Amino acid sequence: MTTATAGGADAVPAADKRPPGRSGRPDPTSPRRSVTGTRKIIATLFLLPALVLLGALVVYPIVYSVYRSFFDQAGTGFAGLDNYKTLFTDDTIRTAVKNNAIWVVFAPTISTALGLIFAVLTERIRWGTAFKLIVFMPMAISMLAAGIIFRLVYDQAPERGVANAVWVGVHDTFADSAGYPKAHPLPVHPLKAGGGGSFVTKAPVRAGVPVRLPLVGVAPAKMPTDAKPAKAAPTESGKVTGTAWLDFTKGGGGKPNVVDAKELGLKGLKIEAVKDGQVVGSATASADGTFTLPASAEGALLRLPASNFREPYNGVEWLGPSLVTPGIIGSYVWMWAGFAMVLIAAGLAGLPRELLEAARVDGANEWQVFRRITVPMLAPVLAVVLVTLMINVLKIFDLVFIIAPGSSQDDANVLALQLYRSSFGTDADLGIGSAIAVLLLLLVIPVMIFNIRRIRKEGRR
């Protein structure tokens, strides 16, 4: 048997002696590569329905909206950038842009701040879980239902609106409430207009001669519940006495300027004795309407001050032009503060407790621990909550549409609502509506990019 020499013609190169598949080159017949390719095909087939839906429901509408935004209202004439110019020249749309900026700044910030406070405090109270459940409960309510609830909460009438009922209650605790709004004398009564909403007697009063001060126009609901049937005032020597009463007999009957048995006294009505422009005496009518003035009221005119007849304090106009946007933001915070609290509480549960305890041992108070340790360590979670809410408020529509009344809807307008108003109705302009949709997309994209980068950065840690 002969063996080829190292340099002979029959020598086989060392590289050719390597087993198949180990040459470093891809082998298309490799079973492993066949399995990998099959898996990719299967994965693509499973993803295909989702990709089709994504294209049909997301990509196509975006592309078509961009295309439609360059055409006029009818969609037949090319408008160029005219629709985009309108976004920054039309007062209504500019108001919507301004309100969106207010929403983006305040609504996420307040919701996140409250969520942080609630999450920290609930760790220190006994019924923390129950409190979290109560705060989070509004998240179970739809935007439609929340809008209806807060439309009632902000109702102007204190007997229906909770906000004004509380506000009026606090106000009336520290300030005198109105007495008898819209009350006034009849021409046959011994009273006349005194200027500024007050009424005065037509003639000076005399001591020992009871004075009659009848009024009409008091609604039954405005009468004090403890008012008593009016009585003729007794005569007192050297003093001016009189009766102030509602000169109206329920069911008819009675005579003007005469105290009838069924007529009620105007309890709490203020009476002033005015002489030469100076108040020389004052009194307040009792439950039966009687009052007594000192002897100094002799020869004076009696005046019923305008404070007796001013309209009652009805609270704040929450849904008026100046407060409608803050009011709606308040309803949003009511709903989403619980969402922020739950996420922040989850992040708080993962903090290393030894760091907090070490800071307390080193002499840091609770505020310093919260500001220097808790908040910095929760920064990633706070960023997640803040960015999520910012994206959410850029699309806010339901609450504004439901809560804002028609008279204030222009003042509370936001881009999503203006998109709806421009795109639907008899005077719809789909060119403007599409331009607003593109603007909203451009506003959301930077926030989404920031969020994606932050998520990737967290994933690399």
Side-chain angles (χ1 to χ4, degrees):
M1 181 181 295
T2 59
T3 303
T5 61
D10 295 331
V12 179
D16 293 338
K17 294 182 179 180
R18 287 179 294 185
R22 302 295 295 272
S23 63
R25 299 176 182 177
D27 185 359
T29 63
S30 172
R32 180 178 298 177
R33 291 202 165 272
S34 300
V35 171
T36 303
T38 304
R39 287 177 178 174
K40 288 183 178 180
I41 295 174
I42 294 174
T44 303
L45 291 176
F46 274 104
L47 288 174
L48 188 60
L51 293 175
V52 171
L53 287 176
L54 186 67
L57 300 179
V58 178
V59 178
Y60 172 74
I62 291 175
V63 174
Y64 182 76
S65 295
V66 174
Y67 168 79
R68 185 64 178 83
S69 67
F70 292 105
F71 287 83
D72 59 10
Q73 181 175 5
T76 55
F78 184 73
L81 297 176
D82 290 346
N83 291 327
Y84 291 96
K85 292 178 182 178
T86 304
L87 299 184
F88 301 99
T89 56
D90 184 84
D91 290 337
T92 303
I93 301 178
R94 288 169 62 186
T95 300
V97 174
K98 180 192 73 174
N99 287 338
N100 258 101
I102 294 173
W103 271 89
V104 169
V105 172
F106 290 101
T109 304
I110 296 173
S111 299
T112 304
L114 285 178
L116 175 62
I117 294 171
F118 290 156
V120 172
L121 292 182
T122 48
E123 283 200 333
R124 300 178 175 274
I125 61 176
R126 184 177 180 182
W127 300 100
T129 304
F131 180 80
K132 288 179 182 178
L133 179 63
I134 293 172
V135 175
F136 187 75
M137 197 175 294
M139 282 296 298
I141 302 174
S142 67
M143 286 282 194
L144 173 64
I148 295 173
I149 290 171
F150 273 86
R151 183 67 182 267
L152 295 174
V153 168
Y154 291 137
D155 196 290
Q156 184 66 32
E159 60 270 17
R160 292 194 301 270
V162 176
N164 266 341
V166 174
W167 194 270
V168 170
V170 173
H171 174 273
D172 290 347
T173 301
F174 299 98
D176 293 334
S177 59
Y180 300 96
K182 299 182 181 179
H184 61 276
L186 293 174
V188 296
H189 288 159
L191 290 166
K192 63 179 181 179
S198 64
F199 299 102
V200 297
T201 54
K202 296 176 181 177
V205 297
R206 301 295 177 190
V209 179
V211 183
R212 295 176 180 177
L213 302 177
L215 293 173
V216 295
V218 181
K222 296 297 180 182
M223 287 296 294
T225 55
D226 55 349
K228 297 180 180 179
K231 294 182 180 179
T235 301
E236 294 188 25
S237 177
K239 294 183 179 182
V240 176
T241 60
T243 303
W245 82 100
L246 179 62
D247 194 14
F248 173 78
T249 304
K250 204 171 185 180
K255 298 179 181 179
N257 292 328
V258 177
V259 179
D260 295 306
K262 294 182 179 179
E263 296 172 347
L264 298 175
L266 297 175
K267 181 186 177 182
L269 190 74
K270 297 178 181 178
I271 302 103
E272 296 176 343
V274 181
K275 190 182 294 185
D276 298 327
Q278 301 293 324
V279 177
V280 297
S282 62
T284 302
S286 60
D288 58 7
T290 58
F291 62 89
T292 302
L293 290 165
S296 57
E298 171 73 24
L301 293 176
L302 298 191
R303 180 175 64 188
L304 305 180
S307 59
N308 290 311
F309 312 109
R310 70 176 185 271
E311 289 292 332
Y313 180 70
N314 286 322
V316 178
E317 192 178 1
W318 298 103
L319 299 181
S322 58
L323 290 178
V324 62
T325 295
I328 300 173
I329 290 176
S331 66
Y332 178 89
V333 171
W334 175 76
M335 288 191 67
W336 287 87
F339 167 81
M341 178 197 66
V342 170
L343 291 187
I344 295 171
L348 196 60
L351 294 184
R353 300 297 168 175
E354 58 272 13
L355 291 180
L356 304 178
E357 294 302 326
R360 295 187 181 100
V361 170
D362 288 341
N365 57 37
E366 292 302 322
W367 169 247
Q368 291 173 328
V369 172
F370 174 76
R371 185 167 62 93
R372 305 262 181 165
I373 299 178
T374 304
V375 173
M377 295 186 70
L378 284 176
V381 179
L382 296 177
V384 170
V385 175
L386 195 62
V387 171
T388 302
L389 294 182
M390 288 176 65
I391 296 173
N392 186 268
V393 299
L394 281 172
K395 304 178 292 181
I396 194 69
F397 166 79
D398 317 62
L399 289 177
V400 181
F401 182 72
I402 297 167
I403 296 178
S407 58
S408 300
Q409 201 164 86
D410 285 343
D411 300 286
N413 200 14
V414 290
L415 285 173
L417 177 59
Q418 185 59 39
L419 169 61
Y420 169 79
R421 295 169 68 180
S422 298
S423 303
F424 299 95
T426 55
D427 57 345
D429 188 337
L430 290 179
I432 297 293
S434 299
I436 295 174
V438 174
L439 177 61
L440 271 174
L441 176 65
L442 294 177
L443 292 175
V444 170
I445 284 176
V447 183
M448 294 179 63
I449 292 175
F450 170 80
N451 204 24
I452 292 171
R453 287 182 176 178
R454 185 200 54 76
I455 292 172
R456 288 179 176 176
K457 183 179 179 180
E458 289 294 324
R460 288 194 296 265
R461 289 184 179 180

